[in-house]
Amino acid sequence: MPLYECNEHQFVENVRRLLEAGDKFIVNRRITMHDDAKYGPATLPDEEFKRYETLVTRKVVNSTVTTKIPFVDTFHSSRFYDADETVHSTTALMFPRMSIPYYRVEYSVNVWGGTYFFAFDALFDPEIVIEKRSGRRLGKGALVHVLRYSPPNERVLAINMPKGVVVLDVKHMVRVIDHSSNF
């Protein structure tokens, strides 16, 4: 079965053409969460990096990122980062310590045995607050910066589809093979 990977414009145009032809089809959307260190503060563009500048610093894009102040990352099991610690780099660290979780969003349409496919990533939104925390490295009742990640807004996960198109969210995409026609 052929798989045709499209960009957003091509995917929506293919759906529009299917609507005009009167074909019956289903648009599937699958959202999966990943935290595989694909994205980190070293690779972010400057306008996105500004959201992290309270906690970390870097010289330019794709350079080493170090912490300015101690902070706790609640998404990664309350991981504690100390001041002046190298947390992300595009070349120097084999295992980056700080990563940004993201949703992998995949849209697909199966038509005439072929699948038209469009996929993109949506990064989680950071939130930096100050909380009172206790711990072995913090002491008892210390104020510390806390980094929290919240899922991206629903409108970021959607693409503009033509009117009349219903998008089905699927948990697990399983291909069903019908062998009854072979007998």
Side-chain angles (χ1 to χ4, degrees):
M1 294 176 72
L3 180 70
Y4 305 104
E5 191 166 349
C6 309
N7 63 30
E8 182 178 357
H9 177 71
Q10 293 167 333
F11 184 81
V12 173
E13 184 63 22
N14 288 334
V15 168
R16 188 189 62 75
R17 287 181 181 167
L18 288 170
L19 282 173
E20 287 177 354
D23 290 339
K24 304 259 187 230
F25 61 94
I26 296 174
V27 177
N28 295 316
R29 179 176 76 166
R30 185 174 79 165
I31 301 173
T32 53
M33 191 186 84
H34 295 274
D35 187 26
D36 54 7
K38 181 178 178 181
Y39 296 102
T43 58
L44 291 177
D46 289 333
E47 54 274 358
E48 282 295 316
F49 184 77
K50 287 180 183 177
R51 301 167 79 181
Y52 294 90
E53 281 185 333
T54 306
L55 304 175
V56 294
T57 185
R58 71 176 184 194
K59 292 181 182 174
V60 292
V61 176
N62 293 332
S63 65
T64 302
V65 177
T66 57
T67 58
K68 289 181 181 178
I69 55 174
F71 68 95
V72 175
D73 183 356
T74 59
F75 188 85
H76 297 99
S77 304
S78 294
R79 187 183 298 163
F80 179 78
Y81 297 99
D82 213 350
D84 296 323
E85 185 178 341
T86 301
V87 291
H88 194 251
S89 175
T90 57
T91 57
L93 293 176
M94 288 183 62
F95 303 102
R97 294 180 183 97
M98 185 176 175
S99 64
I100 301 171
Y102 64 96
Y103 280 143
R104 177 80 173 164
V105 183
E106 301 170 350
Y107 283 86
S108 65
V109 173
N110 296 326
V111 181
W112 299 94
T115 301
Y116 293 94
F117 180 75
F118 170 61
F120 63 94
D121 298 336
L123 297 177
F124 277 46
D125 295 322
E127 178 187 7
I128 300 168
V129 296
I130 297 176
E131 290 182 356
K132 191 180 261 191
R133 293 277 178 119
S134 298
R136 184 174 44 107
R137 296 173 85 182
L138 297 171
K140 186 172 183 173
L143 289 175
V144 66
H145 285 79
V146 176
L147 173 64
R148 293 186 188 139
Y149 288 105
S150 58
N153 194 335
E154 178 63 32
R155 66 180 172 81
V156 173
L157 305 176
I159 60 175
N160 294 328
M161 300 295 277
K163 292 184 186 214
V165 173
V166 176
V167 178
L168 298 176
D169 284 326
V170 291
K171 297 273 186 201
H172 302 286
M173 296 176 83
V174 178
R175 293 197 174 145
V176 178
I177 300 172
D178 183 15
H179 294 288
S180 64
S181 61
N182 295 338
F183 298 108

